[in-house]
Amino acid sequence: MEQNTSLNTNVSTQSEPMRLQPDSGAFHELSREHTLEEHVVSLLGEQGLTVATAESCTGGLLAGRLVNVAGVSEIFHEGYITYSNDAKEKLLHVSHETLQAYGAVSEQTAQEMAVGTARAAGCGAAVATTGIAGPMGGTPQKPVGLVYIGCYVKGITVVEGHLFSGERAQVRNLAVEAALSLLERVLAGTADAPDAENGGQA
């Protein structure tokens, strides 16, 4: 089934080089009637969208947060844990050339993961995470705590980069919170995204 093989995709990323800001983890600290994942599921339902996830550094935590919401079976199709480069290529069709040129932890890979997830699952929305949770694996160019999140909604893809601090579990949990926040903002139309009239599908 290839419902979305002809998806037109606009990509909104930060300017090169991406200016990363250290993240304190203070996401959605304001009092809200519903949890972040509940609000995301509500927005998806209102817009008649289904969603899928692809996770590297978060290893299923993002899907787990969505599945916490009662009734999510109407919205959530499937989740992929694509920890290796081979899995990203095989399941999400991330290009080998992209992985070779930019690495698994890059805005380019996060973009292709998000689009590939939507296509593979036949969903109108998808969110993907790739990063370095630590404590090992960091370099001066790509330090521990660096995470890229790709979010695809109805033909538009937005990629964000974050630099989290903390231990491995904290980095992973902060990445999940940031991914849900990005999906919420894209669905609500408040994220920095290209105009759908310039090539994306409304």
Side-chain angles (χ1 to χ4, degrees), residues 26-70:
F27 290 102
H28 293 268
E29 299 246 335
L30 297 175
S31 173
R32 57 159 78 221
E33 183 178 352
H34 302 289
T35 65
L36 179 55
E37 54 266 39
E38 285 173 340
H39 190 224
V40 165
V41 169
S42 176
L43 287 171
L44 288 163
E46 289 170 6
Q47 297 179 34
L49 295 173
T50 54
V51 69
T53 58
E55 304 179 63
S56 185
C57 61
T58 53
L61 293 177
L62 175 57
R65 282 283 295 274
L66 289 170
V67 172
N68 282 339
V69 181

Side-chain angles (χ1 to χ4, degrees), residues 49-190:
L49 295 173
T50 54
V51 69
T53 58
E55 304 179 63
S56 185
C57 61
T58 53
L61 293 177
L62 175 57
R65 282 283 295 274
L66 289 170
V67 172
N68 282 339
V69 181
V72 76
S73 58
E74 299 294 325
I75 303 296
F76 182 63
H77 267 202
E78 54 201 77
Y80 304 91
I81 299 176
T82 53
Y83 210 71
S84 69
N85 284 358
D86 285 346
K88 291 177 178 67
E89 292 185 45
K90 176 182 173 183
L91 298 175
L92 309 179
H93 305 290
V94 174
S95 122
H96 182 75
E97 290 72 23
T98 295
L99 291 165
Q100 289 291 103
Y102 302 105
V105 182
S106 64
E107 57 185 300
Q108 292 84 0
T109 295
Q111 174 209 331
E112 292 191 21
M113 287 175 68
V115 175
T117 301
R119 287 176 172 162
C123 291
V127 61
T129 63
T130 181
I132 304 167
M136 299 174 291
T139 67
Q141 294 76 28
K142 295 183 178 182
V144 168
L146 177 63
V147 177
Y148 288 99
I149 300 163
C151 181
Y152 171 96
V153 176
K154 296 185 290 185
I156 291 175
T157 306
V158 181
V159 178
E160 284 188 350
H162 295 266
L163 187 55
F164 299 115
S165 59
E167 297 183 355
R168 182 179 179 87
Q170 186 177 8
V171 168
R172 295 177 67 219
N173 284 319
L174 290 173
V176 169
E177 195 77 6
L180 289 169
S181 174
L182 177 58
L183 179 55
E184 178 188 47
R185 285 180 284 118
V186 174
L187 288 166
T190 59

